[in-house]
């Protein structure tokens, strides 16, 4: 492991450079909006920076809603397997309740 | 020219038989040749060809060629070829044969001209593909495969019943425009909807596809849902309900995809999201919209295949597929990383990649036809798909925190298959006219104008900015080992639990009734027993009926003897 070569993103400066380039692109795209004339099909498109705003807000909302959904939907990894094991061990034991199993079982 | 009248599924079915009796290198050559020869054959077929015969007064058309079936025929050949190259190292005969038969069934369904033929291939799709799931050979894949099979067969049964009703209503089995009127059309619509992963009926896909083998999922992602899209485009174009169903499909899976840990399940959710765009296009029903849906299906087969292949490569090389266990793989899997990013850029519809040239057709059609809200939802879904399939998949697998796994790039055949798919993604993105020429309707659509390119680039870059911002602030939900509940909870947990309790009660009542009946019976037997013992005669101490019969027989025999001797 000691001999392992340094990889591209092991250097934090490279990550910083990549992010700076990315921020620059975003800024340029926003500025272009002031100069380029586009065909409008929907009234909302008249808003300056409609697409950037929609993309950004949409994704932030998406992540917040999805994170909140976790509180409702998230279960342990073996949620369904646990059920199987549960019933399997159950069947190996004598029926706890009378009538829990069919008499012919 | 008998060659030309050969339906395209025949080479695959024959090839499967030949492959079954060959081994090693020879089988590999046979398997690669099948889709190549099949595609060459298909390219010679003239438009409008029919193969038909009459069965019990109905026209059966097992082979019908027009522009709509042809483009699906081409893409199924491409998908089969890529999938076969990707799975060339596989030694499991059953899996290889299942893949060939599955691809053949998809072709059979795409060229079916009547509902009966469609039904046969519809069921064959289910029965052949389930072996690709079972090929993973785990307990989970077995149970998921069973659930998959039940739901797929249910869809087939609905299709059959719908077809019978349709024959009764229209006195024809022809598979053409059906439209939503009458019970037959609804039954067929639901049957197609199940295979198309309509909301609520979608769970078989996200349940079973991630449980299949690394190579099997690549085949699965290409055929079943696309056959359903083809059938919808044939039978229900312009059905407004589809617009809303499609918009829902495009939207809801992205929430699940963001919190899902299994990266192939993330892709399964985004598969539903992409099919949603196609369904919207079919629902709008104009030439541009249907063209867009079909073109998007074509591109989706390739880029979704590429993404499933790259994740399959990760699974194959590391044995892991959960986002929480992966990361930093770019260091030792640089080629896979690059190919995965090409797939991610394509599904996210970056300009110059294939998704862009087809998705924008559906979006443009939606806004042209006045579906403003649907257009906004689709725009949100476009940003969302970039978020989970475009960024999340490559980021958590290949970058993120270093998991310490040092797996190398996958075998050459896997890389070659991914490279072919990636080349097609970029090729179609740069030169979409080639794809547009194959579309069912005449088109003069151009994806590359300033408005489209700028809007899409802005949308994507600022979606990425949202990801960067959320990640840096620590607001992005971490990958956690978990199961997320979906509709399958109903039939895997809720209904079984309810039924278990219900049956427990029923058995209890049943048991009480039996005990009561037994008691009555016992008291009867005791009663007769007591009478018997009271008599206590020669004939009836222990076995009254049998004893009686024997004595009677002896008396009769004696009587018979007497009657003979008296003559």
């Amino acid at each position: 492991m000691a001999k392992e070569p340094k990889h591209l993103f092991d250097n934090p400066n490279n990550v910083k450079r990549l992010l700076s380039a990315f921020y620059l692109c975003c800024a340029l795209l926003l500025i272009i909006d002031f100069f380029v004339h586009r065909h409008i099909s929907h009234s909302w498109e008249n808003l300056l920076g409609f697409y950037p705003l929609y993309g950004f807000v949409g994704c932030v909302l998406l992540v917040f809603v999805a994170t909140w959904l976790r509180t409702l939907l998230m279960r342990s990894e073996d949620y369904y397997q646990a059920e199987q094991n549960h019933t399997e061990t159950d069947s190996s034991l004598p029926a706890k309740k009378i009538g829990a199993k069919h008499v012919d079982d | 020219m008998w060659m030309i009248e050969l339906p395209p599924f025949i080479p695959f079915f024959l090839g499967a038989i030949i492959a079954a009796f060959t081994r090693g290198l020879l089988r590999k050559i046979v398997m690669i040749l099948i889709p190549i020869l099949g595609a060459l054959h298909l390219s010679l077929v003239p438009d409008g060809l029919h193969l038909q015969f009459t069965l019990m007064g109905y026209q059966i058309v097992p082979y019908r060629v027009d522009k709509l079936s042809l483009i699906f025929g081409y893409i199924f050949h491409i998908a089969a070829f890529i999938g076969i190259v990707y799975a060339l190292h596989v030694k499991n005969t059953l899996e290889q044969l299942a893949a060939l038969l599955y691809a053949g069934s998809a072709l059979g369904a795409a060229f079916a001209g009547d509902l009966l033929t469609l039904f046969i291939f519809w069921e064959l799709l289910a029965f052949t593909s389930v072996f690709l799931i079972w090929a993973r050979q785990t307990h989970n894949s077995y149970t998921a495969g069973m659930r998959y099979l039940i739901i797929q067969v249910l869809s087939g049964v609905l299709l059959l019943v719908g077809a019978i009703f349709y024959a009764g209503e229209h006195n024809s089995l022809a598979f053409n425009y059906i439209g939503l009127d009458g019970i037959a059309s609804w039954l067929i619509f639901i049957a197609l909807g199940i295979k198309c992963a309509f909301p609520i009926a979608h769970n078989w896909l996200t349940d079973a596809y991630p449980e299949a083998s690394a190579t099997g999922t690549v085949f699965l992602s290409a055929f079943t849902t696309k056959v359903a899209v083809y059938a919808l485009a044939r039978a229900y174009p312009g059905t407004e309900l589809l617009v809303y169903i499609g918009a829902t499909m495009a939207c809801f899976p992205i929430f699940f995809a963001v919190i899902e840990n299994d990266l192939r399940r993330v892709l399964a959710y985004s598969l539903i999201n992409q099919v949603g765009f196609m369904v919207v296009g079919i629902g709008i029903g104009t030439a541009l919209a249907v063209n867009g849906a079909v073109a998007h299906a074509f591109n989706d087969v390739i880029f979704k295949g590429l993404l499933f292949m790259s994740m399959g490569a990760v699974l194959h090389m590391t044995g892991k597929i959960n986002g929480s266990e992966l990361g930093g793989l770019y260091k030792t899997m640089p080629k896979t990383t690059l190919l995965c990013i090409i797939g991610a850029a394509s599904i996210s519809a970056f300009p110059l990649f294939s998704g862009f040239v087809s998705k924008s057709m559906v979006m443009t059609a939606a806004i042209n036809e006045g579906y403003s809200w649907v257009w906004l939802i689709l725009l949100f879904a476009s940003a969302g798909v970039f978020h989970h399939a475009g960024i999340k998949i490559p980021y958590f697998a290949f970058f993120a925190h270093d998991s310490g796994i040092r797996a190398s790039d996958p075998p050459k055949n896997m890389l070659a298959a991914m490279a072919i798919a990636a080349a097609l993604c970029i090729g179609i993105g740069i030169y979409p006219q080639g794809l547009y020429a194959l579309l069912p309707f005449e088109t003069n659509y151009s994806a590359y104008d300033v408005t489209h390119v700028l809007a899409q680039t802005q949308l994507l870059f600022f979606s990425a900015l949202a990801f960067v911002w959320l990640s840096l602030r620590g607001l992005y939900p971490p990958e956690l080992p978990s199961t997320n509940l979906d509709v399958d909870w109903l039939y895997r947990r809720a209904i079984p639990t309810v039924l278990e309790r219900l049956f427990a009660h029923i058995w209890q009542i049943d048991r009480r009734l039996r005990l009561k009946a037994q008691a009555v019976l016992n008291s009867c037997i005791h009663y007769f027993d007591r009478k018997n013992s009271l008599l206590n005669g020669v004939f009836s101490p222990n076995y009254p009926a049998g004893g009686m019969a024997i004595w009677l027989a002896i008396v009769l025999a004696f009587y018979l003897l007497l009657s003979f001797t008296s003559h």
Side-chain angles (χ1 to χ4, degrees), chain B residues 324-341:
Chain B
S324 55
E325 297 169 279
L326 294 169
L329 292 178
Y330 81 96
K331 295 173 181 177
T332 48
M333 301 178 81
K335 290 173 191 151
T336 314
T337 309
L338 181 68
L339 292 164
C340 178
I341 289 174

Side-chain angles (χ1 to χ4, degrees), chain A:
Chain A
M1 274 297 168
K3 276 188 180 171
E4 198 183 58
K6 271 266 180 192
H7 292 281
L8 186 60
F9 296 115
D10 285 342
N11 182 355
N13 282 334
N14 285 343
V15 179
K16 268 183 200 159
R17 275 182 209 132
L18 184 74
L19 282 180
S20 317
F22 174 67
Y23 294 144
L24 189 69
C25 285
C26 288
L28 279 176
L29 280 168
L30 205 57
I31 295 165
I32 288 176
D33 223 26
F34 290 92
F35 300 107
V36 174
H37 171 77
R38 54 168 119 219
H39 328 287
I40 304 293
S41 322
H42 193 278
S43 55
W44 288 20
E45 288 182 275
N46 279 321
L47 281 168
L48 267 180
F50 165 71
Y51 286 101
L53 196 71
Y54 196 82
F56 188 85
V57 173
C59 280
V60 171
L61 275 181
L62 165 69
V63 169
F64 284 166
V65 171
T67 314
W68 170 79
L69 272 178
R70 267 197 168 159
T71 58
L72 280 184
L73 300 177
M74 197 167 82
R75 296 291 184 278
S76 72
E77 198 168 20
D78 57 352
Y79 176 72
Y80 290 115
Q81 283 89 335
E83 173 67 5
Q84 273 158 12
N85 297 339
H86 178 64
T87 50
E88 269 162 26
T89 49
D90 239 20
S91 62
S92 64
L93 293 168
K96 277 175 265 171
K97 267 191 308 180
I98 290 176
K101 292 246 163 221
H102 191 284
V103 284
D104 291 340
D105 279 351

Side-chain angles (χ1 to χ4, degrees), chain B residues 333-357:
Chain B
M333 301 178 81
K335 290 173 191 151
T336 314
T337 309
L338 181 68
L339 292 164
C340 178
I341 289 174
I342 293 173
S346 302
I347 196 175
S348 315
F350 261 100
L352 299 181
F353 291 91
S354 62
F356 177 72
V357 301

Side-chain angles (χ1 to χ4, degrees), chain B residues 14 54 78 81 90 131 149 199 304 384 390 497:
Chain B
L14 281 180
T54 311
I78 294 172
F81 178 71
V90 171
F131 287 99
L149 192 59
K304 188 49 59 64
T497 312

